[in-house]
Amino acid sequence: MDERKQAIYTPAGGPPAGARPSLEILIEIGEPGIFSLLEAFYVRLAESRIQHFFPTGESEMVAASQKSAAFFVQLLGGRPLFSQHFGPPQMRRRHFPFEIDAAARQEWLDCFAETLKDAMAAGTFPAAHEPSFSAFLESFSSWMVNVAPD
Ligand code: HEM
């Protein structure tokens, strides 16, 4: 799987065991709401400091966002869209091809925070559930880091 020369760093403590975000998010905004949210997130990623990790074409980015949306629908207690289409989530392993350090993770989190801010302002994400959703992102994203700190 790993084609990198350097050893892959594993964050101490193993996978985070934090709470999942509230299932009510999916009930409130539905699968289309999750897909729109992730599409907006990928638009931000395409303009971010970590854009080099991602595909360049607009339709490729939409396709990539749909893959992530499938994961979030599943995470939120909806249909197991990710597993059905792409197999076992194994998220950390799926991120091995990208050298994700603490700064890359922070940029990813900042893009998501801005996306959620816009969505709440537009009334397309329930503000009451932003804390649990962001807490999940904060915790789970630490497990995607695979480059050791300096
Ligand atoms: C809460 C944490 C995260 C979740 C839930 C998540 C979710 C996902 C999912 C579901 C995929 C598709 C996997 C596949 O290709 O089979 C993906 C791909 C990807 N993720 Fe993440 N991710 C997280 C954190 C991060 C972070 C911190 C970064 C980088 C800074 C990152 C960068 C990428 C990249 C570059 C791809 C491949 C995009 C593509 O070409 O399709 N992810 N992520």
Side-chain angles (χ1 to χ4, degrees):
M1 252 296 121
D2 173 43
E3 291 169 25
R4 273 197 267 151
K5 303 278 186 296
Q6 75 190 85
I8 287 192
Y9 162 75
T10 303
R20 281 181 175 203
S22 170
L23 311 188
E24 284 177 33
I25 296 169
L26 183 62
I27 294 167
E28 287 195 32
I29 68 175
E31 284 183 12
I34 301 291
F35 276 76
S36 300
L37 183 75
L38 270 295
E39 193 170 330
F41 174 50
Y42 271 67
V43 168
R44 282 202 175 265
L45 287 174
E47 294 161 358
S48 73
R49 282 188 299 234
I50 54 172
Q51 62 164 96
H52 58 281
F53 287 141
F54 293 92
T56 43
E58 205 177 308
S59 61
E60 286 80 359
M61 276 304 258
V62 172
S65 80
Q66 290 170 345
K67 224 171 169 182
S68 280
F71 174 82
F72 278 96
V73 167
Q74 180 164 332
L75 173 86
L76 290 166
R79 296 191 292 154
L81 291 181
F82 190 88
S83 299
Q84 280 171 354
H85 293 284
F86 310 112
Q90 300 182 335
M91 276 304 137
R92 185 170 150 77
R93 185 184 62 72
R94 287 178 188 269
H95 287 75
F96 281 165
F98 316 105
E99 297 191 20
I100 302 176
D101 61 11
R105 169 192 173 234
Q106 192 55 54
E107 179 75 357
W108 187 96
L109 282 171
D110 291 348
C111 287
F112 224 132
E114 290 298 318
T115 305
L116 287 170
K117 211 165 84 182
D118 287 351
M120 286 187 290
T124 54
F125 190 91
H129 295 300
E130 182 275 330
S132 77
F133 193 78
S134 295
F136 167 80
L137 297 178
E138 178 78 24
S139 154
F140 197 66
S141 63
S142 66
W143 187 232
M144 299 307 132
V145 172
N146 53 33
V147 174
D150 292 331

PDB file of all heavy atoms in Angstrom, residues 42 50 53-55 64 67-68 71-72 82 91 94-95 98 100 104-105 108 136-137 140-141 144, ligand 1:
ATOM      1  N   TYR A  42     -15.030  20.849  -0.563  1.00  0.00           N
ATOM      2  CA  TYR A  42     -14.004  20.549  -1.569  1.00  0.00           C
ATOM      3  C   TYR A  42     -13.703  21.762  -2.442  1.00  0.00           C
ATOM      4  O   TYR A  42     -12.582  21.900  -2.950  1.00  0.00           O
ATOM      5  CB  TYR A  42     -14.391  19.304  -2.382  1.00  0.00           C
ATOM      6  CG  TYR A  42     -13.862  18.025  -1.724  1.00  0.00           C
ATOM      7  CD1 TYR A  42     -14.363  17.587  -0.497  1.00  0.00           C
ATOM      8  CD2 TYR A  42     -12.828  17.284  -2.306  1.00  0.00           C
ATOM      9  CE1 TYR A  42     -13.864  16.447   0.126  1.00  0.00           C
ATOM     10  CE2 TYR A  42     -12.325  16.132  -1.685  1.00  0.00           C
ATOM     11  CZ  TYR A  42     -12.840  15.727  -0.474  1.00  0.00           C
ATOM     12  OH  TYR A  42     -12.328  14.602   0.147  1.00  0.00           O
ATOM     13  N   ILE A  50      -3.509  23.153   0.809  1.00  0.00           N
ATOM     14  CA  ILE A  50      -3.303  21.709   0.602  1.00  0.00           C
ATOM     15  C   ILE A  50      -3.953  21.239  -0.700  1.00  0.00           C
ATOM     16  O   ILE A  50      -4.210  20.054  -0.879  1.00  0.00           O
ATOM     17  CB  ILE A  50      -3.796  20.870   1.814  1.00  0.00           C
ATOM     18  CG1 ILE A  50      -5.252  21.196   2.171  1.00  0.00           C
ATOM     19  CG2 ILE A  50      -2.880  21.070   3.007  1.00  0.00           C
ATOM     20  CD1 ILE A  50      -5.850  20.268   3.231  1.00  0.00           C
ATOM     21  N   PHE A  53      -2.769  18.158  -2.826  1.00  0.00           N
ATOM     22  CA  PHE A  53      -3.113  16.764  -2.523  1.00  0.00           C
ATOM     23  C   PHE A  53      -4.286  16.273  -3.380  1.00  0.00           C
ATOM     24  O   PHE A  53      -4.486  15.074  -3.523  1.00  0.00           O
ATOM     25  CB  PHE A  53      -3.584  16.616  -1.070  1.00  0.00           C
ATOM     26  CG  PHE A  53      -2.510  16.717  -0.021  1.00  0.00           C
ATOM     27  CD1 PHE A  53      -2.754  17.379   1.181  1.00  0.00           C
ATOM     28  CD2 PHE A  53      -1.272  16.135  -0.207  1.00  0.00           C
ATOM     29  CE1 PHE A  53      -1.792  17.455   2.172  1.00  0.00           C
ATOM     30  CE2 PHE A  53      -0.297  16.211   0.785  1.00  0.00           C
ATOM     31  CZ  PHE A  53      -0.558  16.876   1.968  1.00  0.00           C
ATOM     32  N   PHE A  54      -5.081  17.211  -3.862  1.00  0.00           N
ATOM     33  CA  PHE A  54      -6.384  16.860  -4.435  1.00  0.00           C
ATOM     34  C   PHE A  54      -6.365  16.905  -5.954  1.00  0.00           C
ATOM     35  O   PHE A  54      -5.502  17.526  -6.551  1.00  0.00           O
ATOM     36  CB  PHE A  54      -7.445  17.814  -3.867  1.00  0.00           C
ATOM     37  CG  PHE A  54      -7.665  17.595  -2.391  1.00  0.00           C
ATOM     38  CD1 PHE A  54      -6.941  18.314  -1.452  1.00  0.00           C
ATOM     39  CD2 PHE A  54      -8.544  16.627  -1.946  1.00  0.00           C
ATOM     40  CE1 PHE A  54      -7.098  18.082  -0.087  1.00  0.00           C
ATOM     41  CE2 PHE A  54      -8.717  16.384  -0.586  1.00  0.00           C
ATOM     42  CZ  PHE A  54      -7.996  17.116   0.337  1.00  0.00           C
ATOM     43  N   PRO A  55      -7.371  16.250  -6.579  1.00  0.00           N
ATOM     44  CA  PRO A  55      -7.449  16.280  -8.046  1.00  0.00           C
ATOM     45  C   PRO A  55      -7.621  17.712  -8.544  1.00  0.00           C
ATOM     46  O   PRO A  55      -8.129  18.570  -7.814  1.00  0.00           O
ATOM     47  CB  PRO A  55      -8.707  15.463  -8.360  1.00  0.00           C
ATOM     48  CG  PRO A  55      -9.116  14.787  -7.101  1.00  0.00           C
ATOM     49  CD  PRO A  55      -8.493  15.517  -5.967  1.00  0.00           C
ATOM     50  N   ALA A  64     -14.672  13.489  -5.836  1.00  0.00           N
ATOM     51  CA  ALA A  64     -13.963  13.239  -4.571  1.00  0.00           C
ATOM     52  C   ALA A  64     -14.842  13.654  -3.393  1.00  0.00           C
ATOM     53  O   ALA A  64     -14.898  12.968  -2.367  1.00  0.00           O
ATOM     54  CB  ALA A  64     -12.633  13.994  -4.548  1.00  0.00           C
ATOM     55  N   LYS A  67     -17.378  11.039  -2.511  1.00  0.00           N
ATOM     56  CA  LYS A  67     -16.822   9.913  -1.760  1.00  0.00           C
ATOM     57  C   LYS A  67     -16.805  10.244  -0.264  1.00  0.00           C
ATOM     58  O   LYS A  67     -17.198   9.438   0.576  1.00  0.00           O
ATOM     59  CB  LYS A  67     -15.392   9.662  -2.252  1.00  0.00           C
ATOM     60  CG  LYS A  67     -15.058   8.227  -2.458  1.00  0.00           C
ATOM     61  CD  LYS A  67     -13.724   8.097  -3.144  1.00  0.00           C
ATOM     62  CE  LYS A  67     -13.278   6.659  -3.110  1.00  0.00           C
ATOM     63  NZ  LYS A  67     -11.960   6.475  -3.729  1.00  0.00           N
ATOM     64  N   SER A  68     -16.361  11.459   0.042  1.00  0.00           N
ATOM     65  CA  SER A  68     -16.343  11.879   1.441  1.00  0.00           C
ATOM     66  C   SER A  68     -17.757  11.999   1.984  1.00  0.00           C
ATOM     67  O   SER A  68     -18.015  11.634   3.136  1.00  0.00           O
ATOM     68  CB  SER A  68     -15.609  13.216   1.598  1.00  0.00           C
ATOM     69  OG  SER A  68     -14.226  12.995   1.586  1.00  0.00           O
ATOM     70  N   PHE A  71     -19.082   8.819   3.111  1.00  0.00           N
ATOM     71  CA  PHE A  71     -18.544   8.456   4.432  1.00  0.00           C
ATOM     72  C   PHE A  71     -19.332   9.148   5.546  1.00  0.00           C
ATOM     73  O   PHE A  71     -19.697   8.527   6.547  1.00  0.00           O
ATOM     74  CB  PHE A  71     -17.056   8.832   4.511  1.00  0.00           C
ATOM     75  CG  PHE A  71     -16.470   8.623   5.880  1.00  0.00           C
ATOM     76  CD1 PHE A  71     -16.046   7.369   6.297  1.00  0.00           C
ATOM     77  CD2 PHE A  71     -16.374   9.681   6.770  1.00  0.00           C
ATOM     78  CE1 PHE A  71     -15.532   7.164   7.573  1.00  0.00           C
ATOM     79  CE2 PHE A  71     -15.856   9.489   8.052  1.00  0.00           C
ATOM     80  CZ  PHE A  71     -15.435   8.229   8.447  1.00  0.00           C
ATOM     81  N   PHE A  72     -19.612  10.443   5.356  1.00  0.00           N
ATOM     82  CA  PHE A  72     -20.292  11.188   6.418  1.00  0.00           C
ATOM     83  C   PHE A  72     -21.743  10.728   6.587  1.00  0.00           C
ATOM     84  O   PHE A  72     -22.240  10.697   7.712  1.00  0.00           O
ATOM     85  CB  PHE A  72     -20.186  12.705   6.181  1.00  0.00           C
ATOM     86  CG  PHE A  72     -18.860  13.254   6.665  1.00  0.00           C
ATOM     87  CD1 PHE A  72     -17.791  13.425   5.797  1.00  0.00           C
ATOM     88  CD2 PHE A  72     -18.674  13.548   8.007  1.00  0.00           C
ATOM     89  CE1 PHE A  72     -16.563  13.899   6.257  1.00  0.00           C
ATOM     90  CE2 PHE A  72     -17.450  14.019   8.484  1.00  0.00           C
ATOM     91  CZ  PHE A  72     -16.386  14.198   7.609  1.00  0.00           C
ATOM     92  N   PHE A  82     -20.715   4.500   1.995  1.00  0.00           N
ATOM     93  CA  PHE A  82     -19.280   4.376   1.712  1.00  0.00           C
ATOM     94  C   PHE A  82     -18.887   2.912   1.571  1.00  0.00           C
ATOM     95  O   PHE A  82     -18.268   2.505   0.587  1.00  0.00           O
ATOM     96  CB  PHE A  82     -18.428   5.065   2.785  1.00  0.00           C
ATOM     97  CG  PHE A  82     -16.982   5.146   2.380  1.00  0.00           C
ATOM     98  CD1 PHE A  82     -16.513   6.229   1.643  1.00  0.00           C
ATOM     99  CD2 PHE A  82     -16.096   4.121   2.671  1.00  0.00           C
ATOM    100  CE1 PHE A  82     -15.189   6.287   1.214  1.00  0.00           C
ATOM    101  CE2 PHE A  82     -14.773   4.170   2.250  1.00  0.00           C
ATOM    102  CZ  PHE A  82     -14.324   5.259   1.526  1.00  0.00           C
ATOM    103  N   MET A  91     -10.056   4.568   7.167  1.00  0.00           N
ATOM    104  CA  MET A  91      -9.706   5.930   6.766  1.00  0.00           C
ATOM    105  C   MET A  91      -8.223   6.259   6.883  1.00  0.00           C
ATOM    106  O   MET A  91      -7.662   6.905   6.013  1.00  0.00           O
ATOM    107  CB  MET A  91     -10.515   6.937   7.588  1.00  0.00           C
ATOM    108  CG  MET A  91     -11.877   7.181   7.022  1.00  0.00           C
ATOM    109  SD  MET A  91     -11.746   7.719   5.304  1.00  0.00           S
ATOM    110  CE  MET A  91     -13.050   6.765   4.609  1.00  0.00           C
ATOM    111  N   ARG A  94      -6.409   4.779   4.012  1.00  0.00           N
ATOM    112  CA  ARG A  94      -6.718   5.441   2.748  1.00  0.00           C
ATOM    113  C   ARG A  94      -5.985   6.774   2.596  1.00  0.00           C
ATOM    114  O   ARG A  94      -5.888   7.301   1.494  1.00  0.00           O
ATOM    115  CB  ARG A  94      -8.232   5.679   2.636  1.00  0.00           C
ATOM    116  CG  ARG A  94      -9.020   4.417   2.361  1.00  0.00           C
ATOM    117  CD  ARG A  94     -10.496   4.702   2.308  1.00  0.00           C
ATOM    118  NE  ARG A  94     -11.290   3.481   2.222  1.00  0.00           N
ATOM    119  CZ  ARG A  94     -11.669   2.912   1.075  1.00  0.00           C
ATOM    120  NH1 ARG A  94     -11.338   3.473  -0.072  1.00  0.00           N
ATOM    121  NH2 ARG A  94     -12.373   1.799   1.085  1.00  0.00           N
ATOM    122  N   HIS A  95      -5.528   7.338   3.715  1.00  0.00           N
ATOM    123  CA  HIS A  95      -4.804   8.613   3.641  1.00  0.00           C
ATOM    124  C   HIS A  95      -3.291   8.432   3.554  1.00  0.00           C
ATOM    125  O   HIS A  95      -2.562   9.406   3.434  1.00  0.00           O
ATOM    126  CB  HIS A  95      -5.182   9.500   4.833  1.00  0.00           C
ATOM    127  CG  HIS A  95      -6.562  10.069   4.721  1.00  0.00           C
ATOM    128  ND1 HIS A  95      -7.697   9.319   4.930  1.00  0.00           N
ATOM    129  CD2 HIS A  95      -6.997  11.303   4.373  1.00  0.00           C
ATOM    130  CE1 HIS A  95      -8.765  10.076   4.736  1.00  0.00           C
ATOM    131  NE2 HIS A  95      -8.385  11.283   4.390  1.00  0.00           N
ATOM    132  N   PHE A  98      -0.960  10.298   1.062  1.00  0.00           N
ATOM    133  CA  PHE A  98      -0.740  11.736   1.213  1.00  0.00           C
ATOM    134  C   PHE A  98       0.055  11.987   2.477  1.00  0.00           C
ATOM    135  O   PHE A  98      -0.262  11.439   3.527  1.00  0.00           O
ATOM    136  CB  PHE A  98      -2.094  12.469   1.284  1.00  0.00           C
ATOM    137  CG  PHE A  98      -3.058  11.970   0.249  1.00  0.00           C
ATOM    138  CD1 PHE A  98      -4.114  11.139   0.595  1.00  0.00           C
ATOM    139  CD2 PHE A  98      -2.869  12.284  -1.093  1.00  0.00           C
ATOM    140  CE1 PHE A  98      -4.984  10.632  -0.364  1.00  0.00           C
ATOM    141  CE2 PHE A  98      -3.732  11.779  -2.053  1.00  0.00           C
ATOM    142  CZ  PHE A  98      -4.790  10.955  -1.686  1.00  0.00           C
ATOM    143  N   ILE A 100       0.475  13.780   5.341  1.00  0.00           N
ATOM    144  CA  ILE A 100      -0.340  14.696   6.137  1.00  0.00           C
ATOM    145  C   ILE A 100       0.381  15.008   7.444  1.00  0.00           C
ATOM    146  O   ILE A 100       0.524  14.134   8.307  1.00  0.00           O
ATOM    147  CB  ILE A 100      -1.739  14.093   6.402  1.00  0.00           C
ATOM    148  CG1 ILE A 100      -2.443  13.791   5.064  1.00  0.00           C
ATOM    149  CG2 ILE A 100      -2.574  15.052   7.255  1.00  0.00           C
ATOM    150  CD1 ILE A 100      -3.792  13.103   5.193  1.00  0.00           C
ATOM    151  N   ALA A 104      -0.933  20.485   7.615  1.00  0.00           N
ATOM    152  CA  ALA A 104      -1.914  20.084   6.589  1.00  0.00           C
ATOM    153  C   ALA A 104      -3.250  19.765   7.251  1.00  0.00           C
ATOM    154  O   ALA A 104      -4.318  20.144   6.758  1.00  0.00           O
ATOM    155  CB  ALA A 104      -1.400  18.877   5.812  1.00  0.00           C
ATOM    156  N   ARG A 105      -3.174  19.080   8.384  1.00  0.00           N
ATOM    157  CA  ARG A 105      -4.415  18.764   9.112  1.00  0.00           C
ATOM    158  C   ARG A 105      -5.120  20.059   9.538  1.00  0.00           C
ATOM    159  O   ARG A 105      -6.334  20.195   9.404  1.00  0.00           O
ATOM    160  CB  ARG A 105      -4.092  17.920  10.350  1.00  0.00           C
ATOM    161  CG  ARG A 105      -5.289  17.791  11.271  1.00  0.00           C
ATOM    162  CD  ARG A 105      -4.896  17.210  12.629  1.00  0.00           C
ATOM    163  NE  ARG A 105      -6.014  17.246  13.553  1.00  0.00           N
ATOM    164  CZ  ARG A 105      -5.973  17.795  14.761  1.00  0.00           C
ATOM    165  NH1 ARG A 105      -4.863  18.350  15.197  1.00  0.00           N
ATOM    166  NH2 ARG A 105      -7.036  17.778  15.537  1.00  0.00           N
ATOM    167  N   TRP A 108      -6.851  21.671   6.663  1.00  0.00           N
ATOM    168  CA  TRP A 108      -8.063  20.882   6.362  1.00  0.00           C
ATOM    169  C   TRP A 108      -9.175  21.261   7.340  1.00  0.00           C
ATOM    170  O   TRP A 108     -10.308  21.512   6.944  1.00  0.00           O
ATOM    171  CB  TRP A 108      -7.692  19.402   6.465  1.00  0.00           C
ATOM    172  CG  TRP A 108      -8.730  18.407   6.044  1.00  0.00           C
ATOM    173  CD1 TRP A 108      -8.829  17.798   4.821  1.00  0.00           C
ATOM    174  CD2 TRP A 108      -9.791  17.849   6.853  1.00  0.00           C
ATOM    175  NE1 TRP A 108      -9.899  16.914   4.830  1.00  0.00           N
ATOM    176  CE2 TRP A 108     -10.503  16.922   6.052  1.00  0.00           C
ATOM    177  CE3 TRP A 108     -10.200  18.045   8.171  1.00  0.00           C
ATOM    178  CZ2 TRP A 108     -11.599  16.198   6.536  1.00  0.00           C
ATOM    179  CZ3 TRP A 108     -11.299  17.331   8.648  1.00  0.00           C
ATOM    180  CH2 TRP A 108     -11.986  16.422   7.824  1.00  0.00           C
ATOM    181  N   PHE A 136     -15.919  16.035  16.431  1.00  0.00           N
ATOM    182  CA  PHE A 136     -15.559  14.802  15.734  1.00  0.00           C
ATOM    183  C   PHE A 136     -14.415  15.074  14.741  1.00  0.00           C
ATOM    184  O   PHE A 136     -13.438  14.316  14.676  1.00  0.00           O
ATOM    185  CB  PHE A 136     -16.764  14.207  14.981  1.00  0.00           C
ATOM    186  CG  PHE A 136     -16.346  13.126  14.029  1.00  0.00           C
ATOM    187  CD1 PHE A 136     -16.086  11.846  14.492  1.00  0.00           C
ATOM    188  CD2 PHE A 136     -16.130  13.407  12.685  1.00  0.00           C
ATOM    189  CE1 PHE A 136     -15.628  10.858  13.627  1.00  0.00           C
ATOM    190  CE2 PHE A 136     -15.676  12.426  11.815  1.00  0.00           C
ATOM    191  CZ  PHE A 136     -15.421  11.145  12.289  1.00  0.00           C
ATOM    192  N   LEU A 137     -14.547  16.150  13.957  1.00  0.00           N
ATOM    193  CA  LEU A 137     -13.510  16.451  12.954  1.00  0.00           C
ATOM    194  C   LEU A 137     -12.159  16.664  13.625  1.00  0.00           C
ATOM    195  O   LEU A 137     -11.129  16.151  13.170  1.00  0.00           O
ATOM    196  CB  LEU A 137     -13.876  17.710  12.156  1.00  0.00           C
ATOM    197  CG  LEU A 137     -15.150  17.650  11.314  1.00  0.00           C
ATOM    198  CD1 LEU A 137     -15.386  19.000  10.640  1.00  0.00           C
ATOM    199  CD2 LEU A 137     -15.075  16.539  10.264  1.00  0.00           C
ATOM    200  N   PHE A 140     -11.002  13.089  15.018  1.00  0.00           N
ATOM    201  CA  PHE A 140     -10.724  12.047  14.019  1.00  0.00           C
ATOM    202  C   PHE A 140      -9.591  12.455  13.076  1.00  0.00           C
ATOM    203  O   PHE A 140      -8.800  11.621  12.643  1.00  0.00           O
ATOM    204  CB  PHE A 140     -12.006  11.734  13.238  1.00  0.00           C
ATOM    205  CG  PHE A 140     -11.957  10.437  12.487  1.00  0.00           C
ATOM    206  CD1 PHE A 140     -11.891   9.225  13.146  1.00  0.00           C
ATOM    207  CD2 PHE A 140     -11.979  10.421  11.094  1.00  0.00           C
ATOM    208  CE1 PHE A 140     -11.841   8.017  12.454  1.00  0.00           C
ATOM    209  CE2 PHE A 140     -11.928   9.219  10.388  1.00  0.00           C
ATOM    210  CZ  PHE A 140     -11.861   8.017  11.069  1.00  0.00           C
ATOM    211  N   SER A 141      -9.513  13.760  12.770  1.00  0.00           N
ATOM    212  CA  SER A 141      -8.478  14.199  11.819  1.00  0.00           C
ATOM    213  C   SER A 141      -7.079  13.986  12.387  1.00  0.00           C
ATOM    214  O   SER A 141      -6.121  13.827  11.630  1.00  0.00           O
ATOM    215  CB  SER A 141      -8.680  15.669  11.444  1.00  0.00           C
ATOM    216  OG  SER A 141      -8.549  16.491  12.580  1.00  0.00           O
ATOM    217  N   MET A 144      -5.505  10.991  11.064  1.00  0.00           N
ATOM    218  CA  MET A 144      -5.084  10.977   9.651  1.00  0.00           C
ATOM    219  C   MET A 144      -3.646  11.470   9.483  1.00  0.00           C
ATOM    220  O   MET A 144      -3.063  11.347   8.421  1.00  0.00           O
ATOM    221  CB  MET A 144      -5.994  11.863   8.784  1.00  0.00           C
ATOM    222  CG  MET A 144      -7.438  11.463   8.755  1.00  0.00           C
ATOM    223  SD  MET A 144      -7.679   9.752   8.317  1.00  0.00           S
ATOM    224  CE  MET A 144      -8.792   9.288   9.602  1.00  0.00           C
TER     225      MET A 144
HETATM  226  C1  HEM B   1     -12.088  13.842  10.032  1.00  0.00           C
HETATM  227  C2  HEM B   1     -11.050  13.549   9.262  1.00  0.00           C
HETATM  228  C3  HEM B   1     -11.170  13.073   7.835  1.00  0.00           C
HETATM  229  C4  HEM B   1     -12.173  12.374   7.219  1.00  0.00           C
HETATM  230  C5  HEM B   1     -13.465  11.879   7.818  1.00  0.00           C
HETATM  231  C6  HEM B   1     -11.757  12.188   5.849  1.00  0.00           C
HETATM  232  C7  HEM B   1     -12.483  11.497   4.890  1.00  0.00           C
HETATM  233  C8  HEM B   1     -12.028  11.155   3.651  1.00  0.00           C
HETATM  234  C9  HEM B   1     -12.647  10.225   2.743  1.00  0.00           C
HETATM  235  C10 HEM B   1     -13.930   9.457   3.013  1.00  0.00           C
HETATM  236  C11 HEM B   1     -11.897  10.133   1.644  1.00  0.00           C
HETATM  237  C12 HEM B   1     -12.109   9.226   0.426  1.00  0.00           C
HETATM  238  C13 HEM B   1     -11.242   8.005   0.654  1.00  0.00           C
HETATM  239  C14 HEM B   1     -10.923   7.208  -0.593  1.00  0.00           C
HETATM  240  O1  HEM B   1     -10.333   7.767  -1.517  1.00  0.00           O
HETATM  241  O2  HEM B   1     -11.279   6.039  -0.652  1.00  0.00           O
HETATM  242  C15 HEM B   1     -10.810  11.052   1.817  1.00  0.00           C
HETATM  243  C16 HEM B   1      -9.848  11.292   0.884  1.00  0.00           C
HETATM  244  C17 HEM B   1      -8.882  12.223   1.020  1.00  0.00           C
HETATM  245  N1  HEM B   1      -8.593  12.959   2.152  1.00  0.00           N
HETATM  246 FE1  HEM B   1      -9.563  12.849   3.889  1.00  0.00          FE
HETATM  247  N2  HEM B   1     -10.551  12.791   5.645  1.00  0.00           N
HETATM  248  C18 HEM B   1     -10.152  13.339   6.840  1.00  0.00           C
HETATM  249  C19 HEM B   1      -9.010  14.045   7.070  1.00  0.00           C
HETATM  250  C20 HEM B   1      -8.165  14.464   6.096  1.00  0.00           C
HETATM  251  C21 HEM B   1      -7.064  15.355   6.304  1.00  0.00           C
HETATM  252  C22 HEM B   1      -6.663  15.971   7.652  1.00  0.00           C
HETATM  253  C23 HEM B   1      -6.490  15.521   5.065  1.00  0.00           C
HETATM  254  C24 HEM B   1      -5.306  16.330   4.646  1.00  0.00           C
HETATM  255  C25 HEM B   1      -4.851  17.326   5.168  1.00  0.00           C
HETATM  256  C26 HEM B   1      -7.201  14.739   4.110  1.00  0.00           C
HETATM  257  C27 HEM B   1      -6.913  14.622   2.769  1.00  0.00           C
HETATM  258  C28 HEM B   1      -7.533  13.752   1.882  1.00  0.00           C
HETATM  259  C29 HEM B   1      -7.116  13.551   0.522  1.00  0.00           C
HETATM  260  C30 HEM B   1      -5.968  14.243  -0.183  1.00  0.00           C
HETATM  261  C31 HEM B   1      -7.983  12.602  -0.033  1.00  0.00           C
HETATM  262  C32 HEM B   1      -7.997  12.049  -1.464  1.00  0.00           C
HETATM  263  C33 HEM B   1      -8.898  12.874  -2.325  1.00  0.00           C
HETATM  264  C34 HEM B   1      -9.123  12.216  -3.659  1.00  0.00           C
HETATM  265  O3  HEM B   1      -8.257  12.324  -4.518  1.00  0.00           O
HETATM  266  O4  HEM B   1     -10.151  11.555  -3.821  1.00  0.00           O
HETATM  267  N3  HEM B   1      -8.229  14.117   4.763  1.00  0.00           N
HETATM  268  N4  HEM B   1     -10.900  11.650   3.052  1.00  0.00           N
END
